[in-house]
Amino acid sequence: MATQALITLNKVHLAYGHHPLLDGADLAIQSSERIGLIGRNGAGKSSLLRILDGRTAPDDGAINIAGHVKVATVEQEPTLDETLTIEETVFGEPDPDDEDWQRASRVKALIDKLGLPPEALVGGLSGGMRKRVALIRAIADQPSLLLLDEPTNHLDLDGINWLEATLKQWPGSAIIITHDRRFLDAVSTRIVELDRGQLLSFPGNFSDWQIHKAQWLEAQRLENARFDKLLAQEEIWIRKGVEARRTRNEGRVRRLQQLRREHEQRRDRQGNVQLALDAGQRSGKLVAELENVCKSFGDKVVVNNYSTTILRGDRIGLIGPNGAGKSTLLKLILGTLQADSGSIKLGTNLSVAYFDQMRTQLDETATLMDVINPGSEWIEIGGERKHVMSYLGDFLFAPARAKSPVSSLSGGERARLLLARLFARPANILVLDEPTNDLDIETLELLEELLQDYPGTVLLVSHDRSFLDNVVTQTIVSEGDGTWRDYVGGFADWQRQRSTQAVTSQTSQLKDAGAKGGASASNVTKSKVTKLAPWEVKELEQLPAEIAGLEQEQEKLVSALSSGELYTDRASERLEIEAKLKKLEETMSLRFARWEALEAKSV
């Protein structure tokens, strides 16, 4: 028997002025499903959430809500009472009719799990802490439908991992607006795309959507091509004149008129943002060299004895929890902050462009044109002279909005405008502080391509794991207490290297313990892992060597793939190596997971 949908939208319309956000849209939200809601900036995703939770009424159409449905919303920028403590905010006013006796214990458990100080005032919290408080408040109520608008914005990696795990176990339904592709892959059971007023539904997660959407677009392209061919034939026929006017062909004339109306109403795909970046004059080969650098603020050590060398063309990602000091380290690298001790050597001819996550560089009263190039209607990019109106069009701003104030823009539009301003001037060092917040997925992917081809140096702070993997060639990671360490590759590479280090460290400890008088490595293992069965103890002892062997095999395959001939004359051999490498990586992932499970069981 079919289950009743929680909420059903039928032919719903919503418009602001002449801009339709929902144009006869249909949607049915079933129980126990997690919907990833995606679409262009300004498409109306947040407006759809406001319709679902009753904050906004549609202009037309029907909304059916099952009687038992309880909805909770976490907005992109949660509105919280600044004068209340975290505990007061999350608990709220006591409700004498509330029969949920377990809510208090759930709230306390969530506050403890996220390490929030219950007595801290909301007014003094960072963006990430405020988002955690809002999430706890909504989740503790155990609603049937949870609406999350950009929940990963301002969250660090630990916060994102916690939210992923929570949503995977969530007994109710959820609709999540997010640009975080890795997050969508982890939690979504269905993707719904809001595209020019219509809601398109695809089963599965984001990766499944990419496959389905490509097939759907190709089918649409072929259908439009057939339609255009038929319309062209009918237009030729009607121009012949005499036979078109005969009574027996009036039906054909009416069909042509209908074809014209359909062509006028057809939703052609909106263009993409046009990104171009001018690196200007090259910097020197050395960008920055830090040696034994230390920096503290009062008793808090932010950077402790850190050394690194950054060269022209490096694309570096800074990873660490909120408050670890990523912005401080950036300022030290750029020479805008003096170290307490150690030396910082800067390279020559450095020209820096800075993308600020708080968008503080934007004057609320300035027009879009003034933000891009105050006092002039023309800009020059890569030797090409361009009118500001045309340049703004590259970032999907209509000419009519060129003289609108910054205050009229949405969060995503502000991010696009800041990118437009950033790219309007040549720079050989790009500093991007959380650039992915508020950008839609298509713009993110275009930005990734641009940064991959950019000849200058990139310093990137981001919690977007896919973006890090697709852009950076090196990571600088906070490991606590002011310790920073360099790793080769992106986020996934850091994760693998960290796991390998843990295995190596465990093996080294066992060897050291065995070398010291009194106990062999085997005895140390047995004394530590008394909760393990004998065969598990043996497996745990053998795993480090097994993983090391797999890594050596992985290195050989990666090395073999570097041969240029594989991509020209030996394509079948390349595919075979790639298949082996994929299978090997899956095996390594399983062995790492098994090692972690045995280690956890042994404690």
Side-chain angles (χ1 to χ4, degrees):
M1 188 174 71
T3 58
Q4 182 186 11
L6 301 181
I7 300 179
T8 303
L9 305 186
N10 186 22
K11 305 300 180 189
V12 168
H13 292 262
L14 180 69
Y16 287 120
H18 298 292
H19 180 50
L21 298 177
L22 298 175
D23 189 9
D26 299 317
L27 179 67
I29 304 166
Q30 305 296 334
S31 59
S32 301
E33 71 168 345
R34 299 185 297 272
I35 297 173
L37 179 59
I38 64 175
R40 285 283 179 86
N41 292 136
K45 302 185 293 295
S46 297
S47 298
L48 175 59
L49 294 195
R50 285 194 287 271
I51 284 179
L52 292 172
D53 67 11
R55 285 178 291 163
T56 298
D59 299 330
D60 196 8
I63 303 176
N64 298 313
I65 304 175
H68 62 282
V69 172
K70 180 180 180 182
V71 181
T73 304
V74 178
E75 297 180 76
Q76 191 168 339
E77 299 294 338
T79 302
L80 304 173
D81 189 331
E82 307 279 307
T83 64
L84 297 180
T85 65
I86 289 176
E87 192 171 54
E88 290 168 340
T89 301
V90 176
F91 275 95
E93 291 294 327
D95 183 356
D97 299 323
D98 191 356
E99 298 179 2
D100 186 0
W101 303 107
Q102 296 180 329
R103 186 182 187 278
S105 60
R106 285 199 305 271
V107 167
K108 289 179 180 177
L110 286 167
I111 288 176
D112 290 343
K113 186 174 181 64
L114 290 179
L116 299 177
E119 302 304 319
L121 287 175
V122 167
L125 299 181
S126 66
M129 295 279 271
R130 292 171 69 94
K131 184 61 72 76
R132 281 174 164 86
V133 170
L135 286 166
I136 289 175
R137 186 173 61 178
I139 289 169
D141 286 334
Q142 292 195 322
S144 340
L145 178 60
L146 188 60
L147 305 178
L148 304 178
D149 194 348
E150 296 287 4
T152 63
N153 277 10
H154 308 303
L155 287 185
D156 55 23
L157 291 172
D158 289 339
I160 292 170
N161 288 332
W162 164 76
L163 185 57
E164 274 186 11
T166 300
L167 289 175
K168 284 179 183 178
Q169 299 169 2
W170 183 247
S173 296
I175 297 183
I176 306 123
I177 298 174
T178 182
H179 59 267
D180 190 323
R181 294 155 288 179
R182 190 78 58 90
F183 189 83
L184 283 171
D185 264 346
V187 305
S188 299
T189 58
R190 174 157 67 117
I191 298 293
V192 171
E193 182 183 12
L194 178 51
D195 183 17
R196 290 155 292 170
Q198 298 296 305
L199 292 168
L200 310 172
S201 181
F202 301 87
N205 60 17
F206 180 76
S207 294
D208 298 324
W209 169 82
Q210 287 182 303
I211 296 169
H212 292 313
K213 185 62 184 291
Q215 295 168 343
W216 182 83
L217 286 173
E218 177 60 17
Q220 190 180 57
R221 186 189 67 79
L222 293 172
E223 182 182 343
N224 287 342
R226 286 192 291 269
F227 180 94
D228 291 343
K229 183 177 180 181
L230 176 61
L231 177 60
Q233 291 171 344
E234 294 302 295
E235 291 287 4
I236 292 171
W237 171 81
I238 196 70
R239 288 186 178 88
K240 290 181 179 178
V242 177
E243 59 179 308
R245 296 189 186 95
R246 292 176 182 171
T247 304
R248 67 174 182 269
N249 286 318
E250 284 181 359
R252 192 170 178 181
V253 173
R254 285 196 297 272
R255 185 178 71 164
L256 173 59
Q257 291 170 341
Q258 178 62 26
L259 285 173
R260 286 171 174 170
R261 284 193 293 271
E262 288 179 16
H263 185 269
E264 185 178 344
Q265 294 171 1
R266 191 171 76 196
R267 288 182 170 83
D268 289 316
R269 186 167 171 78
Q270 185 182 359
N272 286 322
V273 175
Q274 302 295 315
L275 298 181
L277 185 55
D278 183 3
Q281 190 176 357
R282 292 173 66 183
S283 68
K285 185 175 181 181
L286 175 72
V287 172
E289 184 177 54
L290 282 66
E291 188 171 348
N292 302 323
V293 168
C294 296
K295 185 66 183 179
S296 300
F297 295 98
D299 296 332
K300 182 175 174 60
V301 179
V302 180
V303 180
N304 184 23
N305 202 37
Y306 176 60
S307 300
T308 194
T309 300
I310 298 173
L311 302 177
R312 181 182 63 232
D314 285 349
R315 298 196 299 273
I316 298 173
L318 276 70
I319 298 176
N322 292 336
K326 299 184 291 294
S327 296
T328 298
L329 183 56
L330 272 178
K331 291 173 183 176
L332 290 168
I333 291 170
L334 296 172
T336 58
L337 184 65
Q338 189 172 355
D340 296 338
S341 62
S343 65
I344 301 174
K345 180 181 178 183
L346 297 180
T348 58
N349 195 34
L350 303 183
S351 173
V352 180
Y354 199 105
F355 184 99
D356 174 19
Q357 66 162 319
M358 301 309 293
R359 321 290 191 250
T360 53
Q361 297 164 309
L362 296 176
D363 179 354
E364 293 289 311
T365 61
T367 66
L368 274 59
M369 286 182 65
D370 286 339
V371 167
I372 298 302
N373 205 23
S376 174
E377 294 185 358
W378 297 90
I379 59 172
E380 189 168 317
I381 301 175
E384 180 185 350
R385 197 163 181 259
K386 206 165 194 176
H387 195 274
V388 171
M389 290 277 199
S390 174
Y391 182 69
L392 283 168
D394 290 343
F395 289 82
L396 304 184
F397 292 108
R401 300 193 66 187
K403 295 185 179 180
S404 300
V406 169
S407 58
S408 68
L409 302 182
S410 68
E413 289 171 330
R414 285 167 185 260
R416 282 210 310 269
L417 182 63
L418 196 52
L419 284 177
R421 170 175 159 157
L422 192 75
F423 296 167
R425 296 161 179 79
N428 51 40
I429 298 178
L430 275 184
V431 182
L432 305 174
D433 192 353
E434 293 291 358
T436 64
N437 286 356
D438 304 319
L439 289 179
D440 58 52
I441 290 170
E442 289 184 73
T443 305
L444 274 183
E445 291 175 343
L446 289 167
L447 180 57
E448 285 174 355
E449 293 177 14
L450 182 75
L451 293 176
Q452 287 164 4
D453 296 333
Y454 175 60
T457 305
V458 177
L459 299 173
L460 168 66
V461 176
S462 180
H463 298 126
D464 188 321
R465 295 157 292 181
S466 295
F467 195 79
L468 285 165
D469 277 340
N470 293 337
V471 170
V472 306
T473 56
Q474 176 185 336
T475 54
I476 301 174
V477 182
S478 168
E479 301 194 338
D481 300 322
T483 300
W484 296 84
R485 183 165 287 126
D486 295 1
Y487 292 87
V488 175
F491 175 85
D493 298 305
W494 162 58
Q495 294 273 283
R496 280 194 292 269
Q497 292 172 74
R498 185 175 63 167
S499 298
T500 304
Q501 283 181 356
V503 174
T504 304
S505 175
Q506 172 71 10
T507 306
S508 176
Q509 288 172 15
L510 293 174
K511 288 180 179 178
D512 290 345
K516 293 175 182 176
S520 68
S522 176
N523 289 336
V524 171
T525 304
K526 289 176 182 176
S527 67
K528 182 183 177 184
V529 295
T530 52
K531 295 180 183 178
L532 298 179
W535 62 271
E536 289 177 317
V537 174
K538 186 175 181 181
E539 183 183 7
L540 182 55
E541 291 175 343
Q542 293 173 344
L543 272 171
E546 182 182 344
I547 291 172
L550 290 171
E551 288 179 331
Q552 288 177 0
E553 189 176 347
Q554 182 190 39
E555 288 178 8
K556 289 179 183 177
L557 291 174
V558 171
S559 177
L561 277 177
S562 65
S563 171
E565 294 179 3
L566 288 177
Y567 298 86
T568 54
D569 306 326
R570 294 150 52 195
S572 60
E573 185 179 343
R574 173 176 59 83
L575 292 174
E576 185 180 339
I577 294 173
E578 287 176 345
K580 285 181 181 178
L581 186 59
K582 183 179 179 182
K583 188 173 181 180
L584 179 65
E585 287 173 344
E586 289 172 355
T587 302
M588 287 175 64
S589 179
L590 291 172
R591 301 318 289 153
F592 275 126
R594 178 60 178 162
W595 175 79
E596 289 172 356
L598 289 175
E599 274 290 296
K601 188 176 177 182
S602 71
V603 176

